[in-house]
């Protein structure tokens, strides 16, 4: 499949699996992912905005607005509890604070899950700002003002609390990638809301200082406070959230660790201890690394990753992960028996492929012929 045809196929898959409410189903064929996440969806919407599909993205952000408003009482209670000196457990916060995944109608999903996550709330604000910038639809900020303000207040109250990372794990820790999403969302809204700019820039600066002071070790960013290992989601600190520049020494050393510890061929693992479906390579994370390469002039490497991602396409679309190189091969079959075959298609995979393909096109390398084994 050519780059152009997979671009068209990816856009088609995303649009076909957007609900009438505007929500994007994370993976329509995988029972555990037949829900919508603010995080995944915001990156999907961002990819579509890069290709001019603003109407679809607008519908998604309208869904985000409806979700936050629907659960406004819960958000306000959480804000009040934190401001009053919240001392509850991580498990209690998981029940009482805002969730991360929802039905397409915006209802919380019952069952055991790492529900208390902040990254999605920062990401939807960042994504909305990107949508406004690319589409010119500035009226959306005022249209969604109640949910935007509430989300900002929620992040301002909760950002220093332990919460689940973007992989729905380690709810008792604080994660630099999550804080990068908070930073990105708050900073983006400071530019959109001049009347709150001083307050929001101050909050963003505080988040950034916290990460730089406590979220590094040996000159690189760490997976979580208390866990110095590498995690591919740390790419977020540079792209797209801009907590540090791509050429910042901390970021360069972090990427070097990701390359050394998590890159197998052209496929990127989440982290070394990953056992989910055997700990395979994630095309969406490979696209992220390629995005970073493209922004740093490493276009040949970025193009090689892009073509590797294209090679992972199945008849159903791009998967969540592939099994070319498993970190824990003995854990693959037990996951299949427990939850079924791995998720495919994953809309987030298609979205990040679109981002990388567009980045290469912008750099004039969409026809790069680097060979992929």
């Amino acid at each position: 499949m050519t780059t152009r045809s997979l671009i068209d196929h990816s856009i088609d898959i995303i649009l076909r699996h957007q609900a009438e409410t505007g929500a994007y189903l994370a993976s329509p064929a995988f029972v555990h992912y037949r829900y919508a996440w603010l995080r995944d969806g915001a990156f999907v919407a961002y990819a579509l905005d890069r290709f001019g599909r603003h109407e679809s993205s607008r519908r998604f952000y309208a869904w985000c607005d409806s979700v936050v408003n629907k659960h406004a009482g819960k958000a306000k209670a959480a804000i009040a509890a934190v401001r009053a000196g919240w001392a509850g457990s991580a498990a209690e916060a998981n029940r009482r604070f805002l969730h991360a995944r929802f039905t397409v109608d915006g209802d919380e999903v019952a069952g055991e899950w790492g529900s208390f996550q902040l990254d999605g709330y920062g990401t939807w604000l960042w994504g909305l700002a990107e949508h406004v910038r690319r589409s010119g639809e500035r009226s959306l900020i005022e249209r969604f003002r109640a949910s935007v303000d509430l989300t900002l207040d929620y992040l301002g109250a909760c950002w220093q609390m332990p919460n689940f990372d973007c992989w729905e794990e380690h709810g008792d820790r604080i994660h630099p990638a999550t804080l990068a999403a908070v930073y990105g969302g708050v900073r983006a809204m400071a530019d959109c809301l001049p009347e709150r700019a001083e307050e929001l820039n101050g909050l963003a600066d505080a988040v950034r200082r916290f990460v730089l002071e406590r979220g590094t070790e040996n000159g690189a960013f760490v997976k979580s406070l208390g866990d110095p290992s590498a995690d591919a989601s740390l790419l977020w600190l540079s792209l797209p959230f801009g907590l540090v520049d791509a050429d910042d020494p901390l970021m360069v050393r972090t990427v070097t660790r990701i390359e050394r510890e998590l890159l197998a061929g052209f496929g990127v693992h989440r982290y070394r201890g990953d056992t989910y479906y055997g700990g395979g390579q994630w095309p969406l994370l490979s696209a992220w690394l390629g995005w970073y390469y493209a922004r740093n002039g490493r276009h040949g490497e970025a193009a090689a990753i892009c073509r590797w991602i294209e090679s992972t396409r199945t008849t159903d679309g791009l998967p969540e992960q592939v099994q070319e190189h498993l970190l824990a091969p003995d854990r693959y079959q037990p996951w299949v028996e427990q939850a079924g075959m791995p998720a495919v298609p994953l809309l987030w995979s298609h979205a990040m492929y679109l981002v990388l393909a567009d980045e290469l096109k912008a750099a004039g390398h969409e026809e790069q012929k680097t060979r992929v084994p």
Side-chain angles (χ1 to χ4, degrees):
M1 176 172 277
T2 66
T3 297
R4 183 68 252 172
S5 58
L6 187 52
I7 287 173
D8 293 339
H9 181 63
S10 294
I11 292 172
D12 179 65
I13 280 182
I14 290 170
L15 295 179
R16 281 193 287 115
H17 296 298
Q18 183 174 26
E20 291 185 4
T21 59
Y24 297 115
L25 287 176
S27 182
F30 188 64
V31 64
H32 307 287
Y33 292 177
R34 289 176 186 165
Y35 303 104
W37 276 257
L38 299 178
R39 171 192 58 245
D40 301 35
F43 287 125
V44 170
Y46 171 68
L48 291 186
D49 273 327
R50 290 186 68 138
F51 282 84
R53 300 302 184 103
H54 302 312
E55 191 275 336
S56 176
S57 298
R58 182 192 319 115
R59 290 176 56 216
F60 169 74
Y61 292 116
W63 177 80
C64 293
D65 170 67
S66 70
V67 168
V68 175
N69 287 329
K70 189 170 193 173
H71 302 284
K74 194 173 190 180
K76 292 174 182 177
I79 293 167
V82 173
R83 289 176 176 171
W86 167 268
S89 66
E92 189 176 359
N94 200 42
R95 293 190 301 271
R96 292 183 56 182
F97 287 65
L98 292 177
H99 280 204
R101 64 171 182 159
F102 300 90
T103 68
V104 296
D105 294 320
D107 296 322
E108 294 178 346
V109 182
E112 293 298 322
W113 201 272
S115 296
F116 176 40
Q117 302 167 40
L118 294 177
D119 63 289
Y121 290 90
T123 304
W124 99 262
L125 293 180
W126 164 84
L128 175 61
E130 281 293 309
H131 174 76
V132 167
R133 183 176 71 85
R134 291 175 179 272
S135 69
E137 297 174 337
R138 288 200 55 84
S139 62
L140 292 182
I141 299 296
E142 285 307 313
R143 176 180 163 190
F144 301 155
R145 186 60 188 269
S147 63
V148 166
D149 279 337
L150 182 56
T151 302
L152 287 166
D153 293 344
Y154 181 72
L155 292 174
C158 299
W159 69 270
Q160 294 187 74
M161 294 179 62
N163 64 101
F164 288 89
D165 64 17
C166 62
W167 313 127
E168 276 90 29
E169 299 174 340
H170 305 299
D172 59 343
R173 294 177 180 171
I174 297 173
H175 318 283
T178 293
L179 292 178
V182 173
Y183 171 89
V186 171
R187 185 72 84 191
M189 282 299 141
D191 293 335
C192 295
L193 302 173
E195 66 275 21
R196 294 192 66 175
E198 182 176 359
E199 167 208 351
L200 296 178
N201 281 324
L203 173 58
D205 289 343
V207 174
R208 186 175 188 273
R209 284 195 303 272
F210 183 93
V211 174
L212 294 178
E213 292 171 3
R214 300 187 56 185
T216 68
E217 189 169 318
N218 296 323
F221 293 109
V222 299
K223 176 178 174 62
S224 306
L225 273 62
D227 180 354
S229 60
D231 190 299
S233 66
L234 291 169
L235 291 164
W236 295 8
L237 278 89
S238 170
L239 290 171
F241 298 125
L243 189 141
V244 294
D245 293 334
D247 60 354
D248 186 287
L250 281 167
M251 198 68 226
V252 172
R253 293 189 192 100
T254 301
V255 172
T256 298
R257 284 195 69 194
I258 289 170
E259 293 169 327
R260 183 176 64 247
E261 299 178 23
L262 304 180
L263 181 62
F266 296 102
V268 177
H269 297 284
R270 296 192 298 174
Y271 54 90
R272 288 297 300 174
D274 190 9
T275 62
Y276 181 56
Y277 280 100
Q281 302 142 294
W282 287 52
L284 73 91
L285 293 174
S286 300
W288 231 297
L289 183 61
W291 189 10
Y292 178 87
Y293 285 163
R295 284 292 176 93
N296 284 273
R298 299 166 65 175
H299 299 117
E301 293 165 280
I305 287 176
C306 189
R307 294 190 179 279
W308 176 81
I309 294 170
E310 291 165 359
S311 77
T312 70
R313 177 185 177 267
T314 71
T315 56
D316 295 317
L318 291 176
E320 178 179 61
Q321 58 175 296
V322 296
Q323 288 74 49
E324 288 181 7
H325 182 271
L326 295 176
L327 296 173
D330 60 315
R331 298 301 303 151
Y332 176 74
Q333 191 57 37
W335 269 107
V336 171
E337 293 171 0
Q338 173 184 335
M341 296 299 291
V344 58
L346 188 76
L347 267 61
W348 195 5
S349 293
H350 283 280
M352 299 317 299
Y353 169 77
L354 289 172
V355 171
L356 176 56
D358 190 53
E359 196 74 21
L360 286 168
K361 181 180 179 181
H365 284 258
E366 69 272 28
E367 297 301 326
Q368 176 73 33
K369 299 299 183 183
T370 306
R371 289 187 60 199
V372 178

